[in-house]
Amino acid sequence: MTVTITAFERSPDGGKGLARDTRVRWALEEAGQPYEVRLVSFKAMKEPAHLALHPFGQIPTYEEGDLALFETGAIVFHIAQRHAGLLPDDANARARAITWMFAALNTVEPPILEFVTARIFEGDKPWAAQRMPLVMDRLRDRLKQLSTHLGDADWLDGAFSAGDLMMVSVLLRLRASGLLDEYANLAAYVARGEARPAYKRAFAAQLAVNTGKPLAG
Ligand SMILES: N[C@@H](CCC(=O)N[C@@H](CS)C(=O)NCC(=O)O)C(=O)O
């Protein structure tokens, strides 16, 4: 059955892979599943046809036959459940990998988004200079905890899983700030994720949309 996802017609990041369709593309690539992409403008995202798929008017969405999903956590989990390669077979290891997916989205992504919002959208506010150190402290605390857990392991819990896919995806947003480099093992962890052939294919596909250049090969 054909899988269709939605992505920005023109991503605000110009193709750096930070728009959340990249993590869905990555999961589909890890699972070896072909997919189609429907590009949507900011205007179309808020219109009834798209709102019927995504009540919050965002990307990405995921359609497969009668099934329509939104929220990257739910979409990646769905792909991981249906196909081999993203979740371990052992029941306990599987539950732990799912736990890391939730941790990425519920525990690590929020302070990262708070930081990005404070830096990009609130940087010109009169109170920004006072607020920023608090935001940075909260984020550094979280990154330190994650760094301590990871230690010198390659992945969060044994073999690469959907938990790592999600964690690397949320950490990538910090790359430009240089913050990630304060935690050498986290920087190396993210680089390991980016080095995966499936990630490279996903990244190249979203970049091609944003540069207008067709994919090579
Ligand atoms: N929690 C959602 C967040 C989705 C989201 O924030 N999407 C962004 C693109 S990465 C978006 O559509 N932004 C445009 C908007 O909110 O109007 C998920 O993980 O899918």
Side-chain angles (χ1 to χ4, degrees):
M1 212 172 293
T2 307
V3 166
T4 304
I5 66 167
T6 51
F8 284 131
E9 190 177 65
R10 197 175 301 256
S11 177
D13 76 353
K16 291 194 177 72
L18 302 180
R20 288 172 177 80
D21 57 291
T22 305
R23 51 182 84 164
V24 173
R25 293 174 186 267
W26 185 7
L28 286 162
E29 292 286 355
E30 291 283 353
Q33 295 303 305
Y35 62 97
E36 292 180 358
V37 184
R38 192 169 60 249
L39 301 176
V40 288
S41 65
F42 272 91
K43 183 168 172 287
M45 279 163 51
K46 310 301 173 194
E47 288 171 354
H50 189 76
L51 287 169
L53 292 171
H54 196 310
F56 306 113
Q58 296 181 315
I59 60 98
T61 57
Y62 175 100
E63 291 158 83
E64 184 186 5
D66 291 343
L67 178 67
L69 296 174
F70 60 97
E71 285 296 333
T72 52
I75 296 170
V76 170
F77 184 45
H78 171 78
I79 296 165
Q81 273 191 308
R82 291 277 171 102
H83 306 284
L86 283 164
L87 286 174
D89 291 335
D90 174 76
N92 286 355
R94 198 176 178 92
R96 288 195 303 271
I98 294 165
T99 300
W100 279 113
M101 289 184 66
F102 277 90
L105 294 171
N106 284 354
T107 303
V108 177
E109 192 168 45
I112 292 177
L113 294 181
E114 190 186 24
F115 167 69
V116 171
T117 303
R119 198 162 175 241
I120 298 176
F121 302 110
E122 298 170 354
D124 59 346
K125 300 283 186 269
W127 36 261
Q130 269 183 304
R131 177 167 141 79
M132 199 51 160
L134 303 175
V135 170
M136 299 280 287
D137 282 353
R138 278 197 287 271
L139 178 54
R140 284 199 172 101
D141 281 351
R142 195 57 91 222
L143 293 175
K144 187 164 181 298
Q145 290 166 324
L146 184 64
S147 167
T148 300
H149 170 85
L150 183 65
D152 58 7
D154 278 356
W155 305 113
L156 289 167
D157 191 309
F160 174 84
S161 78
D164 295 297
L165 183 151
M166 208 51 101
M167 192 64 83
V168 168
S169 297
V170 309
L171 291 174
L172 267 168
R173 200 171 283 273
L174 291 174
R175 158 76 47 71
S177 72
L179 255 178
L180 212 48
D181 300 323
E182 294 179 18
Y183 308 86
N185 64 341
L186 292 185
Y189 171 65
V190 168
R192 264 192 297 282
E194 289 177 294
R196 292 181 71 82
Y199 178 82
K200 288 185 180 171
R201 288 194 295 273
F203 182 88
Q206 64 78 37
L207 183 63
V209 170
N210 286 288
T211 56
K213 292 190 190 131
L215 283 170

